[in-house]
């Protein structure tokens, strides 16, 4: 209904949120069990740490006339 697809289970997604020196990521990835693939779940990690199953989502706004 909202035009959102493939929101869960691809990669954990970094958010703009921070908790001190840590960054917050959400969503669960292909590496996690299904119980971890919820957008409401929040986890943290240091920004310099790398992982094959963590990324970010590009988004663009569209002007509706």
């Amino acid at each position: 209904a909202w035009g959102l697809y493939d929101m869960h289970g691809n990669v954990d997604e970094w958010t703009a949120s921070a908790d001190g020196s840590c960054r917050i990521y959400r969503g669960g990835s292909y590496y996690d069990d299904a119980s971890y693939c919820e957008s409401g779940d929040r986890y943290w990690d240091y920004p310099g740490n790398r992982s094959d199953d963590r990324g970010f989502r590009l988004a663009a706004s569209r002007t509706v006339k």
Side-chain angles (χ1 to χ4, degrees):
W2 297 313
L4 301 174
Y5 303 97
D6 299 324
M7 292 297 292
H8 302 298
N10 293 324
V11 295
D12 295 319
E13 296 179 14
W14 287 111
T15 68
S17 303
D19 183 12
S21 62
C22 301
R23 300 295 296 187
I24 305 298
Y25 63 94
R26 297 176 172 261
S29 73
Y30 61 88
Y31 188 74
D32 296 322
D33 292 329
S35 62
Y36 292 99
C37 294
E38 296 183 14
S39 59
D41 290 345
R42 293 174 46 141
Y43 309 97
W44 64 269
D45 201 356
Y46 297 104
N49 290 349
R50 302 288 185 242
S51 178
D52 292 339
D53 66 337
R54 199 162 303 142
F56 59 93
R57 180 174 300 273
L58 296 175
S61 60
R62 180 176 66 166
T63 304
V64 178
K65 294 182 180 182

